Amino acid sequence: MSKSSEPIELIFARRLRTRRQELGLSQEALGVAIGIDESCSRTRISRYETGKSEPALAIAQLMAKALKVPVGYLYCDDDLEAEALLIIRGVGEADKLRIVETLRGCLPEGL
């Protein structure tokens, strides 16, 4: 899957749920990890994962940190680009620079 035709709130919801599950976190555990009261954390995270609510950017940033992903990963509308963000996040600064320079060399002129 590459460019998604999903609305951005559903892309966010899908990525949030998938990453949380990959890390083996419950909705409640994620909510508590970002400072939501335990009594309502599962419900709040569930609403974000179903697209019924969209978190403020500050909350999305907290979730991204807890999920060990860049916040852009949660919003990116292209699955390959989102995967690239994860790869780049996982390498050291010198390797990031090499990756970016290599990618720049692959771009058509003017971009």
Side-chain angles (χ1 to χ4, degrees):
M1 186 191 246
S2 192
K3 197 77 161 173
S4 179
S5 59
E6 293 174 283
I8 193 70
E9 60 273 6
L10 294 183
I11 292 168
F12 181 94
R14 174 173 52 87
R15 291 240 174 78
L16 174 63
R17 180 182 314 108
T18 300
R19 183 62 179 171
R20 178 186 58 76
Q21 290 172 340
E22 287 172 355
L23 295 177
L25 293 172
S26 67
Q27 291 174 328
E28 183 177 327
L30 176 58
V32 169
I34 65 167
I36 299 173
D37 186 82
E38 189 175 350
S39 65
C40 62
S41 61
R42 187 195 61 76
T43 302
R44 287 256 314 264
I45 300 301
S46 176
R47 293 184 62 78
Y48 297 146
E49 288 185 357
T50 58
K52 291 181 181 165
S53 291
E54 191 173 342
L57 181 57
I59 297 295
Q61 289 171 324
L62 290 172
M63 286 191 284
K65 185 174 182 176
L67 297 171
K68 301 175 183 145
V69 296
V71 73
Y73 169 81
L74 296 172
Y75 289 100
C76 187
D77 67 346
D78 186 292
D79 289 338
L80 290 174
E81 289 176 10
E83 186 66 26
L85 287 172
L86 289 181
I87 291 167
I88 290 171
R89 182 177 180 105
V91 300
E93 289 302 313
D95 289 329
K96 284 181 188 177
L97 184 57
R98 274 196 297 278
I99 291 168
V100 169
E101 290 302 320
T102 300
L103 292 173
R104 278 190 187 131
C106 297
L107 291 173
E109 291 218 16
L111 288 181

